[in-house]
Amino acid sequence: MTQHTTALAVPADHDRGDALPLLERNTYWHGKEMGVAEFQRDQAYFRHVQQTLTRLTVGCSVLCGLELSPHGTRGLAVAAGAAVDGHGRLVVVPAAVAVDDARTVLEPDCAPDPRGTFRLCLVHHECPTAPARVVVTDCDTRTECLPGAVREGFRLELRSHRPGCASGEACGCGTSPQGCGTDCGDCVTLGTVTLTQDAVAGVTADGRRDVVRNVDLAARLGMAEGERTEPPSLCRIWPPPGRVLSREGSPSEWGRWRQRPRVELTFDQPIDVDRVDDPDDWLRAWVATEHTAPDGAGTVTFTRVGLRFLPTASQPSPAGHRLVYEFRSRDARRAGSRQVVLLQARATPDSGPAAASPTGGIARIEYAGTPLTRDTRARIWRADRFTAPGTTLDTIMGSEQPGCFGDPYEGGRVHAVFEVAPVVAGATAVTAVHPPNASRMSGTELTVELAGTGPLDGLTPRAWIVGPDGPAELPLTAAPLPDGAAAAVTDRFPASFDATVHDELREVVRFVADMTGLDDGRVLVVVPAHAGEQAVGAFAGTCLTEPDVAHVYAHGPSPTHERSIRPTRLRMPRTGQTGAWIHWTFYWEHDDDDRS
């Protein structure tokens, strides 16, 4: 008897859409090598089987609970429950959720005027969690953190009807027409909400489809009155543990911290804010500064800073409950020195989010993000000022210790650090370059600009283009600046600036080079990090080491340097970096019309 088999492959990311998936599962034999792709194939197979069966049998509907009701005059409340979306995914709301202002969940693309009738959608939302150490190879081998698991959560969205959608369907204003049809896509409609300028005028169950209306089922699942069986779990900490806050982005993490120094902790269930408004018994912070002892040994002093609860910023949301605590001391934003912040939390059954949750118990917030020993952490906890001899800030932030590490087991201890790049008070530092690092440019004339917090006279850049025939130096010459050049430069990189960088910008210098007749290639710009006798910070935008940069600046790049002329992850300089050089790279190509 002859058997015929057909290998049917399914992409690992085939999670959406109404098409029937082609299923593929692993086979096993002794000695088979199992990697990421093989384990993902197993998960994808069972996920696609379950979602396809659910979508084609139960369909898009509410399974139990999820009753919609007003909350105050402007808010909405959703009871605990479960539903299935149009892709067959199970969406669980483990506890009742209240939104104080319904307009905060209004889909941005719907309408500039938040008035009218909308459908409240329950949407499947995935949140990475359980970060773990990963070894990454870039210019230098280092450790980073990646999520070790994905938590399947939800979010709420108010969506309006869009022309072309089926009657009674909330397709969303920003989706494509292909999303419209007899199925509900990613939206499980919980009801209809009517909004006026400043209030919720009406809430109905219109548009809702229930497959199970069984209060006993909800009660058996522990959802009848928002009951939870697990203590609160910590989902997120901001600023991110183990990180140096970046000056990139708009607004940048650095800028957000500078404007209001604070920590944000997000939990997976509602927290009674009246029981966490005094953080002293469970959450504390210290600013760590480094000193050198007479014998040359490093010493770090931890100075405690007070925390103030911000009730207006601490709000429940569909993704969890965020608690925000502001730093009281001005030391948290002082200029001119390196700053590392240590955060410790101790959530026991009698204090912190565990005591403020419906379940009590010890909160699931175990989070080990520093190499400090248990004894050292305990001594720091009891002190307003503590000196740790024989250590440095680099040790605390050290590359050998993962920047963040979490586990899903019950605990009550958090210790984490993050670093804030200092502002160089009263000094000059280069904070922006053009063209940006790792960008792609074209034309027949190259314009190089450096912007900073003070006078930049005396900068002497050199540049080379590395093409098919090897490196060729570009004849950079200083060029006059038009009026308003500083503002023009900030407009060049709207995604790489924030308000704090705009405020610091004081001067721009410009250099140009004729690119006519040169082949396409990668451009390297190297600038000594000083203007006259004044240091202007540093920017390591390529993988070249400092000795290599010095050699390149003096003699030009050699073949051994070419493989290191590639960009790092840094896009812009950051005030507070120290070093002898500013160097970055970008790709240059001629416009087709300019080729001769």
Side-chain angles (χ1 to χ4, degrees), residues 286 300-304 376 379-380 383-389:
W286 296 259
V300 172
T301 298
F302 297 88
T303 304
R304 186 176 169 189
T376 299
R379 295 169 68 186
I380 294 174
D384 290 336
R385 188 178 179 88
F386 178 82
T387 299

Side-chain angles (χ1 to χ4, degrees), residues 368-391:
T370 77
L372 297 173
T373 65
R374 186 183 184 93
D375 178 67
T376 299
R377 298 197 309 270
R379 295 169 68 186
I380 294 174
W381 178 268
R382 296 189 296 266
D384 290 336
R385 188 178 179 88
F386 178 82
T387 299
T391 187

Side-chain angles (χ1 to χ4, degrees), residues 385-411:
R385 188 178 179 88
F386 178 82
T387 299
T391 187
T392 65
L393 294 181
D394 287 333
T395 302
I396 299 173
M397 296 288 296
S399 60
E400 296 303 319
Q401 177 71 19
C404 54
F405 180 79
D407 63 55
Y409 304 109
E410 290 189 10

Side-chain angles (χ1 to χ4, degrees), residues 432-501:
V433 295
H434 179 81
N437 195 36
S439 62
R440 196 176 189 93
M441 307 298 292
S442 62
T444 57
E445 183 178 76
L446 170 65
T447 299
V448 173
E449 292 171 327
L450 296 95
T453 59
L456 298 176
D457 296 335
L459 290 181
T460 55
R462 296 184 68 183
W464 294 264
I465 185 167
V466 181
D469 299 328
E473 184 168 5
L474 303 176
L476 284 179
T477 58
L481 290 167
D483 294 337
V489 169
T490 59
D491 292 340
R492 288 178 182 249
F493 337 95
S496 301
F497 276 82
D498 56 41
T500 53
V501 176

